[in-house]
């Protein structure tokens, strides 16, 4: 059974890795990694393949950057050609990036030319691949977020919806998705983390920055709502510089953020802040080593909200909403505004930490549950 695993951008690589390794052990499965090329810098892409012990992508679409429509359209055009040539039985898309939506659309609308030796898949899908969405059902209910549009479209099209938590199941049921398409498999990001935990613990990224365990904050920011306008980015920089008087920070800067900091004349201001260390985007192992050893995180990333919840580390999310509410209800995550950020940092630095628990099925066995689900579906 040829199964395409679509990987496009940094947060996708951690989601396909455990599934690739689990499928590779099955005699019936032939997992094929398709990289759309949405992220292309070594430290945004290649280093993740190395860290997660993935082979080089079997198929590379080389799409690169562009506006939303350009990126989505280019992926659809390129992937349609691949689909017609390779005729996979299943396409697994992960997360919520533009390529997730683009490949879902291309795969849902394709019609394979008829052939007697079609790879095995259910008869009603015999002329196109089954589309499965891993990390289905997450909703921020904020359609100004490009990722929310990608989630809605992808979930509307997918044949199989693999959710990370019960709230995602509820969202899909409320949208009228049939119960038999949904399978709550848990959080695949935790599989990746557990897969390379020893390497993360052995790494010494934090000491290389001269930082001490439990005595620094980690910053990641890249959402358009935070970094694309000069007003919000300069307010954020002011807040971070003020907060750095209380605790040192390390800030691996995403390419979008770096570009905007430079354009708005803010990069040097941050660089001059004595206790803020600016770094390049990091590979998975070194970045997770910084997470493991920090006191708290300030972020607008989706994945980091989950990783900190799993590890029990305070997470301050610079967003008005989250598609991962379980990290707030059960986990260590707090949604923050420019107004309350300072107070929250002070509380954490003074040791005022909220109780938390790890959500159900965030246990490192999600890939196994998915492999079982694919096998059962195809019987
Ligand atoms: C994308 C995803 C977002 C995800 C994020 C993780 C969408 C809509 N957004 O946002 O959901 O959280 O990735 O990083 O799909 N760039 C580089 N090098 C790279 C990649 C990008 O320099 O390897 C530059 C691009 O030229 C562009 C900017 O960074 O100017 C943004 O890249 P893009 O992929 O469009 O969106 P992200 O902000 O990374």
């Amino acid at each position: 059974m040829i199964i395409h695993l679509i990987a496009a951008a940094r947060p996708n690589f951690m989601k396909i890795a455990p599934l690739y390794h689990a499928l590779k052990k099955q005699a019936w499965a032939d997992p094929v990694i398709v990289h759309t090329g949405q992220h292309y810098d070594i430290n945004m892409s290649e280093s993740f393949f190395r860290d997660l012990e993935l082979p080089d992508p079997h198929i590379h679409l080389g799409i690169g950057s562009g506006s939303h429509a350009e990126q989505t359209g280019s992926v659809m055009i390129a992937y349609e050609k691949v689909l017609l040539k390779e005729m996979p039985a299943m396409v697994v898309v992960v997360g919520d990036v533009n390529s997730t939506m683009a490949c879902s659309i291309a795969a849902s609308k394709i019609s394979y030319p008829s052939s007697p030796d079609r790879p095995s898949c259910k008869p009603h899908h015999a002329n196109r691949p089954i589309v499965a969405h891993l990390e289905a059902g997450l909703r921020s209910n904020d359609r100004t977020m490009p990722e929310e549009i990608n989630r809605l479209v992808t979930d509307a099209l997918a044949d199989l919806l693999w959710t990370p938590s019960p709230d995602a199941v509820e969202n899909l049921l409320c949208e009228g998705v049939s119960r038999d398409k949904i399978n709550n498999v848990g959080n695949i990001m935790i599989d990746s983390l557990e897969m390379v935990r020893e390497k993360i613990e052995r790494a010494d990224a934090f000491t290389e920055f001269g930082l001490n365990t439990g005595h620094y904050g980690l910053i990641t920011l890249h959402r358009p709502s935070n970094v694309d306008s000069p007003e919000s980015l300069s307010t954020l920089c002011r807040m971070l510089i003020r907060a750095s008087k209380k605790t040192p920070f390390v800030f691996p800067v995403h390419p979008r953020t770096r570009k905007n900091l430079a354009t708005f004349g803010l990069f040097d201001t941050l660089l001059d802040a004595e206790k803020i260390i600016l770094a390049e985007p990091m590979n998975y192992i070194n970045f997770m080593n910084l997470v493991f050893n920090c006191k708290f995180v300030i972020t607008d990333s989706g994945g980091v909200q989950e990783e900190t919840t799993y590890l029990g580390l305070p997470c301050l999310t610079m967003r008005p909403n989250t598609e991962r509410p379980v990290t707030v209800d059960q986990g260590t995550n707090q949604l923050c505004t420019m107004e309350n950020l300072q107070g929250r940092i002070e509380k954490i630095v003074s040791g005022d930490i909220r109780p938390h628990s790890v959500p159900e099925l965030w246990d490192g066995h999600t890939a196994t549950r998915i492999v079982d689900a694919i096998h059962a579906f195809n019987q």
Side-chain angles (χ1 to χ4, degrees), residues 69-194:
E70 281 166 349
Q71 212 170 43
T72 306
S74 303
V75 172
M76 284 173 64
I77 293 165
Y79 188 50
E80 185 181 57
K81 294 191 175 85
V82 170
L83 283 167
L84 287 171
K85 183 158 171 269
E86 308 288 326
M87 294 197 282
M90 178 176 271
V91 173
V92 178
V93 294
V94 301
D96 55 16
V97 302
N98 286 339
S99 303
T100 308
M101 175 178 75
C103 291
S104 306
I105 297 174
S108 300
K109 296 179 85 176
I110 200 80
S111 185
Y112 292 157
S114 56
S115 146
D117 42 73
R118 175 88 49 253
S120 68
C121 59
K122 286 215 161 173
H124 60 285
H125 287 304
N127 69 342
R128 70 161 178 88
I130 296 148
V131 178
H133 185 203
L134 171 53
E135 205 183 75
L138 296 185
R139 296 289 182 270
S140 65
N141 296 312
D142 174 0
R143 292 197 183 193
T144 64
M145 250 185 120
E147 293 81 359
E148 183 74 352
I149 307 295
N150 296 340
R151 292 179 201 119
L152 286 161
V153 174
T154 303
D155 285 344
L157 296 178
D159 304 298
L160 300 176
L161 297 134
W162 296 324
T163 56
S165 47
D167 56 290
V169 177
E170 282 307 308
N171 291 335
L172 293 170
L173 293 175
C174 286
E175 287 170 17
V177 175
S178 156
R179 185 71 187 80
D180 59 7
K181 286 180 161 190
I182 307 168
N183 188 349
N184 192 35
V185 293
N187 191 336
I188 195 85
M189 300 274 283
I190 308 307
D191 288 34
S192 288
L193 189 153
E194 288 302 339

Side-chain angles (χ1 to χ4, degrees), residues 6-82:
I6 309 294
R10 188 167 63 175
N12 298 159
F13 309 131
M14 297 80 107
K15 291 169 196 161
I16 64 151
L19 186 53
Y20 176 81
H21 292 301
L23 284 169
K24 200 68 195 150
K25 290 188 194 135
Q26 312 301 316
W28 51 267
D30 181 7
V32 172
I33 298 176
V34 181
H35 193 326
T36 67
Q38 182 172 339
H39 282 178
Y40 42 86
D41 287 345
I42 288 180
N43 49 8
M44 296 293 285
S45 172
E46 205 180 302
S47 68
F48 285 78
F49 278 73
R50 264 201 316 269
D51 282 359
L52 297 162
E53 293 165 26
L54 288 170
D56 288 343
H58 304 96
I59 297 169
H60 204 298
L61 306 182
I63 297 307
S65 302
S67 70
H68 287 284
E70 281 166 349
Q71 212 170 43
T72 306
S74 303
V75 172
M76 284 173 64
I77 293 165
Y79 188 50
E80 185 181 57
K81 294 191 175 85
V82 170

Side-chain angles (χ1 to χ4, degrees), residues 258-368:
R258 180 173 291 265
K259 211 177 287 177
N260 291 342
L261 283 169
T263 307
F264 308 149
L266 295 165
F267 194 78
D268 288 343
T269 319
L270 273 189
L271 205 58
D272 289 345
E274 207 184 319
K275 287 192 173 168
I276 299 183
I277 303 164
L278 298 183
E280 293 294 321
M282 286 186 184
N283 64 35
Y284 180 64
I285 304 246
N286 281 344
F287 179 75
M288 289 311 300
N289 178 262
L290 289 182
V291 176
F292 270 45
N293 290 285
C294 72
K295 173 109 182 148
F296 66 102
V297 179
I298 300 175
T299 193
D300 56 12
S301 146
V304 175
Q305 296 172 48
E306 297 180 337
E307 286 153 347
T308 46
T309 276
Y310 182 64
L311 296 169
L313 290 162
C315 180
L316 301 176
T317 297
M318 297 307 297
R319 283 177 43 188
N321 49 53
T322 178
E323 62 288 341
R324 294 160 163 91
V326 74
T327 62
V328 176
D329 304 338
Q330 259 182 268
T332 52
N333 191 18
Q334 300 179 64
L335 299 182
C336 290
T337 61
M338 304 284 184
E339 289 71 38
N340 65 22
L341 178 66
Q342 190 69 29
R344 300 244 169 112
I345 294 174
E346 280 169 22
K347 269 188 154 181
I348 292 168
V349 172
S350 69
D352 186 355
I353 310 264
R354 289 162 18 128
H356 78 284
S357 62
V358 174
E360 188 194 345
L361 301 183
W362 292 26
D363 58 3
H365 300 296
T366 291
T368 308

